[in-house]
Amino acid sequence: MDFRSPASAFAVCSFCKSTIVRDGESLRRIGQSAELFDDHSPLQLGAAGKYQGAAFTLVGRLQYRYAEGTWNEWHALFDNGRSGWLSEDNGRYVVAFDAPLTGPAPAATSLRAGAQVVVDGQAWSVASVNAAKLIAAQGELPNAPNLTRG
């Protein structure tokens, strides 16, 4: 198993679908991912691009299911070592980066589409609220995928 990023602590084996955690020089199997749903995505692991002038490579993918279908969250590794996410849903794409909160996040049950919320002193608009389940993972990931089989 090859890791492209020293920051990636987890990976899903493309052959056996085992979820692997890297701890120093050792690897340990902690679970197994389901097969990815064939969504005919134009994106694939190893695809490269640029966002605001910064080059990145797609090194991992999380696939979610919700009432209206599936979507992908691609783990993007930037050339400067930064990690981000490229969300793909029906031909629409959004780039996002993890950011720490200094206070609590709003409860998911309190969110309503179209509502305005304030998080860490910054105003946000809620675009949509959907219940989703992580169904499969692929490649390198910064955190262990929370997969349940069934």
Side-chain angles (χ1 to χ4, degrees), residues 62-100:
L62 299 175
Q63 191 173 67
Y64 293 90
R65 181 178 313 282
Y66 68 120
E68 297 174 24
T70 62
W71 88 84
N72 295 304
E73 299 277 339
W74 294 91
H75 180 215
L77 179 63
F78 286 79
D79 286 354
N80 63 7
R82 189 175 189 193
S83 182
W85 293 95
L86 174 61
S87 300
E88 171 192 22
D89 184 16
N90 293 320
R92 296 190 319 211
Y93 301 92
V94 174
V95 174
F97 299 95
D98 291 338

Side-chain angles (χ1 to χ4, degrees), residues 15-33:
F15 177 74
C16 69
K17 306 296 183 238
S18 291
T19 302
I20 307 296
V21 62
R22 178 170 60 177
D23 186 13
E25 295 295 317
S26 65
L27 301 176
R28 183 171 37 97
R29 182 179 186 266
I30 61 169
Q32 190 167 4
S33 176

Side-chain angles (χ1 to χ4, degrees), residues 104-127:
T109 55
S110 72
L111 300 175
R112 302 286 178 260
Q116 299 291 314
V117 295
V118 176
V119 180
D120 272 353
Q122 186 173 2
W124 296 87
S125 295
V126 179

